[in-house]
Amino acid sequence: SRTKSDSGVPEVPVSADDTPEVLNKALSGLSSRWKNWWVRGILTLAMISFFFIIIYLGPMVLMMIVLCVQIKCFHEIITIGYSVYHSYHLPWFRTLSWYFLLCVNYFFYGETVTDYFFTLVQREEPLRILSKYHRFISFALYLTGFCMFVLSLVKKHYRLQFYMFGWTHVTLLIVVTQSHLIIHNLFEGMIWFIVPISCVICNDIMAYMFGFFFGRTPLIKLSPKKTWEGFIGGFFATVVFGILLSYVMSGYRFFVCPVEFNNDSNSFTVDCEPSELFQLQDYGLPPVLKSITGWTTVKLYPFQIHSIALSAFASIMGPFGGFFASGFKRAFKIKDFANTIPGHGGIMDRFDCQYLMATFVNVYIASFIRGPNPSKVIQQLLALRLDQQLHIFNSLKVHLTEKGLLPALEEAA
């Protein structure tokens, strides 16, 4: 394979057992099936505990963790590509891959900062300049990388170099874009970040548990260990879990309020008057449930109704992210993306379903939850010329007068 410049994909060796020696000794008397069950269980509890800690540390720490996870996932996928084609010594492949990652993150995070922290950006002169020319700077940075790639093209390796150029960009599309959507969901309120992620985690755990103890019927050839029993059991367990978790979290402002920048304290705050979405309301029960429970109404947060959609997606469509990752790994004959987490594989092995979930949550919020944002409208108005602002003011004044609202407002003032 070293003598061929454009041959097929060579095999990547399967990683060896990466279980810590302490666990190997403690579980030495168990069969491989039960040993794997205990290793996965112990590491899962450890990861859930870490998840609780970073939630306690607040949204900014969560955002940094998302960035770190994104970088690690990108590294794992790019490393697979580099391992597959390492023998060809493609020039600048790794350097350009990381450069494009930097460019894309600069673009997305710059857009996020401008959208959500406009007052902070306008107050600082360097940030205001960067914000004004942000897209031009982002394009210039990408164009530099594009020219570097063209200059790095080498005879006899053209096809492979373009293949890896596509590899890098597809990886950026899957990893960076989705992690950016996760951060957008986080700024809408931590509950939009925690509940979807927790539903995916719950579905992963419960599907594994139901499949381990009751699984008999294979679900899909891409993942031979997946069973219909695990899929169905995970679905019902996740829906119940999502409703209960949403009920608990909806009562705390820390979880339901958007992340905002406070000019007075020069800090990021999570404090607001909860919207109707997070206020208890009475819902009438269907006749069947009335006869069973004897209740006519039940008090629920409206968000709990939305949590059913979130948990259902996590249970039905979320696993397809895992199936997609399984197909990718089978294509390159590897067991896991990496061996970062014993018994679980790499970080990408744990987050393959999360990225698909992030896109759904972002689309769901934009379609069914979020209305026009007054603060963003004001941001755009303040960016206009003074004569344009005056024209909009007069048009709005005429509109309010026709609606009969302006005289009432003037009398109140």
Side-chain angles (χ1 to χ4, degrees):
S1 62
R2 290 178 179 274
T3 60
K4 296 180 180 180
S5 58
D6 287 293
S7 61
V9 178
E11 293 187 16
V12 179
V14 177
S15 57
D17 182 19
D18 55 354
T19 307
E21 190 62 29
V22 176
L23 288 178
N24 271 328
K25 290 181 178 179
L27 305 174
S28 58
L30 300 176
S31 64
S32 59
R33 182 170 181 262
W34 279 99
K35 178 183 174 182
N36 182 63
W37 190 87
W38 279 104
V39 170
R40 288 175 65 93
I42 293 170
L43 270 298
T44 297
L45 291 175
M47 288 187 289
I48 291 174
S49 300
F50 178 70
F51 184 54
F52 285 146
I53 292 173
I54 60 176
I55 288 173
Y56 173 77
L57 294 176
M60 292 299 107
V61 175
L62 279 173
M63 185 177 72
M64 298 308 299
I65 293 295
V66 170
L67 177 61
C68 293
V69 168
Q70 173 218 114
I71 293 173
K72 180 58 179 171
C73 290
F74 181 83
H75 171 259
E76 290 176 359
I77 298 177
I78 289 297
T79 299
I80 292 174
Y82 186 77
S83 298
V84 169
Y85 297 102
H86 180 69
S87 58
Y88 304 133
H89 300 289
L90 299 182
W92 296 99
F93 168 55
R94 274 192 165 177
T95 303
L96 285 173
S97 296
W98 287 102
Y99 177 80
F100 282 125
L101 176 67
L102 177 66
C103 293
V104 175
N105 270 309
Y106 175 81
F107 171 75
F108 279 127
Y109 275 85
E111 293 284 316
T112 300
V113 169
T114 302
D115 285 344
Y116 287 93
F117 309 116
F118 182 78
T119 54
L120 174 63
V121 170
Q122 291 300 308
R123 195 179 62 182
E124 302 293 336
E125 182 65 23
L127 291 178
R128 186 161 62 248
I129 295 174
L130 289 174
S131 174
K132 183 177 181 180
Y133 303 105
H134 173 69
R135 296 196 175 184
F136 179 81
I137 296 172
S138 300
F139 177 73
L141 289 172
Y142 179 83
L143 195 61
T144 302
F146 179 81
C147 293
M148 290 169 61
F149 168 74
V150 173
L151 294 174
S152 70
L153 292 173
V154 177
K155 190 177 181 180
K156 295 183 180 180
H157 299 317
Y158 292 147
R159 190 173 72 177
L160 284 176
Q161 287 182 285
F162 277 99
Y163 181 86
M164 298 315 299
F165 183 78
W167 180 294
T168 300
H169 281 67
V170 171
T171 304
L172 291 172
L173 175 66
I174 294 174
V175 176
V176 182
T177 305
Q178 311 306 316
S179 63
H180 173 69
L181 295 180
I182 291 177
I183 292 175
H184 265 233
N185 301 338
L186 173 62
F187 282 127
E188 293 294 329
M190 290 179 63
I191 195 169
W192 291 105
F193 172 86
I194 297 172
V195 169
I197 284 183
S198 299
C199 285
V200 172
I201 294 173
C202 175
N203 181 255
D204 193 28
I205 294 173
M206 298 310 297
Y208 176 78
M209 296 289 287
F210 277 95
F212 185 88
F213 290 106
F214 309 108
R216 297 292 183 273
T217 312
L219 176 63
I220 187 171
K221 291 182 178 180
L222 280 173
S223 298
K225 294 182 179 179
K226 304 290 185 181
T227 63
W228 275 104
E229 291 80 2
F231 183 80
I232 295 171
F235 170 79
F236 286 105
T238 304
V239 171
V240 173
F241 171 80
I243 294 173
L244 295 176
L245 179 63
S246 300
Y247 180 82
V248 173
M249 295 185 64
S250 295
Y252 295 91
R253 294 188 179 187
F254 179 74
F255 294 123
V256 304
C257 291
V259 181
E260 297 177 344
F261 182 78
N262 191 313
N263 286 315
D264 298 329
S265 60
N266 289 326
S267 62
F268 297 101
T269 60
V270 185
D271 188 26
C272 67
E273 186 63 33
S275 65
E276 292 183 358
L277 202 62
F278 305 105
Q279 296 179 10
L280 284 171
Q281 297 183 19
D282 290 323
Y283 288 90
L285 291 177
V288 177
L289 292 179
K290 285 181 182 179
S291 61
I292 296 174
T293 62
W295 303 338
T296 56
T297 61
V298 62
K299 283 187 175 294
L300 293 174
Y301 293 102
F303 181 80
Q304 289 180 270
I305 309 299
H306 295 292
S307 73
I308 296 175
L310 300 179
S311 56
F313 183 90
S315 304
I316 298 173
M317 300 304 299
F320 279 85
F323 301 151
F324 177 86
S326 296
F328 178 87
K329 289 182 285 188
R330 283 180 174 274
F332 294 97
K333 299 179 175 63
I334 56 176
K335 183 177 182 294
D336 298 308
F337 283 95
N339 57 355
T340 309
I341 310 171
H344 291 267
I347 299 295
M348 190 63 195
D349 290 284
R350 292 300 90 209
F351 283 85
D352 47 13
C353 301
Q354 297 288 3
Y355 287 128
L356 192 61
M357 187 71 188
T359 305
F360 172 73
V361 174
N362 192 268
V363 171
Y364 190 88
I365 292 174
S367 302
F368 304 109
I369 305 299
R370 186 195 302 142
N373 191 330
S375 62
K376 289 188 178 181
V377 174
I378 293 175
Q379 292 172 15
Q380 294 174 346
L381 289 176
L382 293 177
L384 299 175
R385 299 193 311 269
L386 292 178
D387 60 319
Q388 293 173 326
Q389 294 180 22
L390 185 61
H391 174 72
I392 293 175
F393 169 78
N394 290 328
S395 300
L396 185 61
K397 182 179 179 181
V398 171
H399 174 73
L400 293 176
T401 302
E402 292 176 351
K403 294 291 183 180
L405 296 175
L406 190 59
L409 293 174
E410 289 177 349
E411 290 175 6

